[in-house]
Amino acid sequence: MTGTTALGAAVRAAGVAELVWQRSGQPPGALGVVPLWLGDRAAVALPWAQVEAARAAAAGGEAALVLSDPRLTGPGWEPLVATGRLTLVEDGDGSLFTEQLLDQELRKHPPSRALADSPMLRREHWWYLPRLVLLLDPVDVVPGGRRDGPADAVLAVDDDGLHVRTVRVADWDADPLALTGAPPDVRGPAVLVGQELSVPDVERWTVHVTSGHAADGRLTGVQPAEDRALEPVPGLRARVRRQRALERGCVQALRAAGHR
């Protein structure tokens, strides 16, 4: 398959992915995302509560969508790294997302079904439909490595361009961190990105990002993630608080951008 054809099949079959991007003089930015496909490009549709991250990713230099997680995947999935530039479409009324991406997200991401799986739910949770759609124009699509457990993470190093590998960390409490599988000739500000999620409901989703400086197969100056463990099962109050926080963040960002 061509790079675009393979990427399209893998994105459609993927449940979650990592999005990383260059930040001038800093370790790359990183998010855990639900990968989608729009036309002939990979896409990410972030809620407006994540407006700062979306705009930073689009304003950065090189970006990469990394398909490393075999969980929740379907036929056609394979680990890939697609590197290129991001274009941001600020879908303030939700029409682009609702008409072209919502069905994909509902199939892939069970938490969205509780907010947008019927016309009634969409009216009630109107703030969930406007999205910040990041489109990737891939320059390069290459095979990647899969993450098979908590010791595995995606390494993104900014060495005059993004260099992305899946590596293994023997001891997360060490400093420096030894990175098995890291490219030996690449050095620069770097992040390690991992994800823990509850399967199949994805109600709990912990994305952890550890930053530092990568060189010679090690990460030094380690700034550890706040938490790498899967979050505990939330009670009813915690679920309500989480949804209300998301709603407040989306509504505030939409109003600030003049969409409400």
Side-chain angles (χ1 to χ4, degrees), residues 47-62:
W48 272 79
Q50 293 180 282
V51 62
E52 291 184 5
R55 289 173 176 170
E62 206 169 38

Side-chain angles (χ1 to χ4, degrees), residues 53-159:
R55 289 173 176 170
E62 206 169 38
L65 183 69
V66 188
L67 305 180
S68 72
D69 199 316
R71 293 170 291 183
L72 301 171
T73 58
W77 182 85
E78 59 180 311
L80 293 175
V81 178
T83 306
R85 297 277 178 166
L86 291 169
T87 300
L88 175 61
V89 178
E90 296 193 357
D91 180 28
D93 63 3
S95 57
L96 173 63
F97 176 72
T98 302
E99 294 168 10
Q100 300 191 51
L101 296 171
L102 176 59
D103 287 346
Q104 286 184 59
E105 183 171 292
L106 291 175
R107 287 196 302 270
K108 288 171 177 270
H109 192 56
S112 292
R113 298 171 197 164
L115 299 173
D117 201 18
S118 71
M120 182 178 296
L121 287 172
R122 291 168 204 168
R123 285 194 297 272
E124 182 180 354
H125 305 116
W126 61 267
W127 46 268
Y128 191 66
L129 300 177
R131 292 297 179 96
L132 298 146
V133 180
L134 290 162
L135 299 169
L136 179 68
D137 291 308
V139 174
D140 195 22
V141 180
V142 299
R146 54 186 281 161
R147 291 186 296 108
D148 287 316
D152 297 335
V154 169
L155 171 69
V157 186
D158 187 356
D159 185 359

Side-chain angles (χ1 to χ4, degrees), residues 9-242:
V11 165
R12 290 186 183 97
V16 296
E18 297 81 30
L19 181 69
V20 294
W21 63 91
Q22 283 181 302
R23 298 190 303 168
S24 179
Q26 302 179 66
L31 288 174
V33 296
V34 177
L36 306 171
W37 192 256
L38 180 62
D40 59 354
R41 290 187 286 179
V44 171
L46 301 178
W48 272 79
Q50 293 180 282
V51 62
E52 291 184 5
R55 289 173 176 170
E62 206 169 38
L65 183 69
V66 188
L67 305 180
S68 72
D69 199 316
R71 293 170 291 183
L72 301 171
T73 58
W77 182 85
E78 59 180 311
L80 293 175
V81 178
T83 306
R85 297 277 178 166
L86 291 169
T87 300
L88 175 61
V89 178
E90 296 193 357
D91 180 28
D93 63 3
S95 57
L96 173 63
F97 176 72
T98 302
E99 294 168 10
Q100 300 191 51
L101 296 171
L102 176 59
D103 287 346
Q104 286 184 59
E105 183 171 292
L106 291 175
R107 287 196 302 270
K108 288 171 177 270
H109 192 56
S112 292
R113 298 171 197 164
L115 299 173
D117 201 18
S118 71
M120 182 178 296
L121 287 172
R122 291 168 204 168
R123 285 194 297 272
E124 182 180 354
H125 305 116
W126 61 267
W127 46 268
Y128 191 66
L129 300 177
R131 292 297 179 96
L132 298 146
V133 180
L134 290 162
L135 299 169
L136 179 68
D137 291 308
V139 174
D140 195 22
V141 180
V142 299
R146 54 186 281 161
R147 291 186 296 108
D148 287 316
D152 297 335
V154 169
L155 171 69
V157 186
D158 187 356
D159 185 359
D160 294 326
L162 277 181
H163 300 264
V164 180
R165 295 279 183 89
T166 298
V167 300
R168 178 152 292 186
V169 181
D171 181 3
W172 281 98
D173 295 322
D175 188 357
L177 295 177
L179 309 176
T180 302
D185 55 346
V186 171
R187 60 186 59 228
V191 290
L192 288 165
V193 189
Q195 302 196 59
E196 300 300 330
L197 58 148
S198 57
V199 177
D201 55 53
V202 201
E203 181 183 30
R204 295 175 290 151
W205 187 5
T206 299
V207 181
H208 57 87
V209 179
T210 298
S211 62
H213 188 277
D216 304 319
R218 302 188 306 167
L219 189 75
T220 58
V222 176
Q223 297 293 318
E226 182 176 336
D227 197 350
R228 289 183 291 102
L230 183 62
E231 64 183 86
V233 177
L236 177 59
R237 288 185 179 180
R239 290 186 178 96
V240 171
R241 285 196 298 268
R242 181 169 59 188

